């Protein structure tokens, strides 16, 4: 049971990062470019091998993808929200 959870958690992170990449590309360039961007990013060497491994790369990918989405979508938010986002970026594993 624990082994499946340890493999499944990075896969959930991979799916969240892939969704953020697709949504940002869709907002910037449209649906066709979003599909091509999603394919180019999510089927590359860093994404696929690390999605099955327990390394901090998937956590970093999700936080960075979300950070770009935060900057693109909502520049005006409360200080508390931006503080939480800053903490998430500050906790990156590198």
């Amino acid at each position: 049971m624990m082994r499946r959870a340890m493999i499944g958690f990075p896969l959930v992170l991979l799916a969240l990062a892939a969704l953020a990449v697709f949504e940002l590309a869709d907002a910037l360039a449209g649906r066709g470019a979003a599909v091509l961007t999603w394919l180019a990013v999510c089927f590359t060497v860093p994404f696929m091998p690390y999605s099955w491994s327990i390394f901090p790369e998937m956590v970093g990918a999700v936080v960075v993808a979300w950070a770009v989405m935060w900057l693109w979508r909502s520049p005006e938010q409360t200080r508390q929200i931006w503080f939480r986002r800053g903490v998430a970026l500050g906790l990156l594993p590198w």
Side-chain angles (χ1 to χ4, degrees):
M1 179 70 175
M2 183 61 89
R3 182 175 182 215
R4 288 183 185 174
M6 293 301 290
I7 291 174
F9 181 68
L11 292 176
V12 169
L13 294 176
L14 172 77
L16 290 173
L19 179 63
V21 166
F22 181 80
E23 285 183 358
L24 182 64
D26 188 29
L28 289 173
R31 187 63 47 121
V35 171
L36 291 176
T37 303
W38 176 79
L39 286 170
V41 170
C42 297
F43 287 101
T44 57
V45 174
F47 253 62
M48 294 307 284
Y50 288 129
S51 65
W52 296 96
S53 303
I54 303 172
F55 289 113
E57 279 81 2
M58 281 297 103
V59 176
V62 169
V63 172
V64 169
W66 282 349
V68 173
M69 287 293 295
W70 295 331
L71 290 173
W72 178 255
R73 283 195 174 165
S74 57
E76 295 184 23
Q77 295 286 333
T78 64
R79 289 183 184 175
Q80 185 179 21
I81 291 172
W82 282 107
F83 177 76
R84 290 179 190 166
R85 292 172 177 179
V87 168
L89 286 170
L91 291 175
L92 283 172
W94 49 80

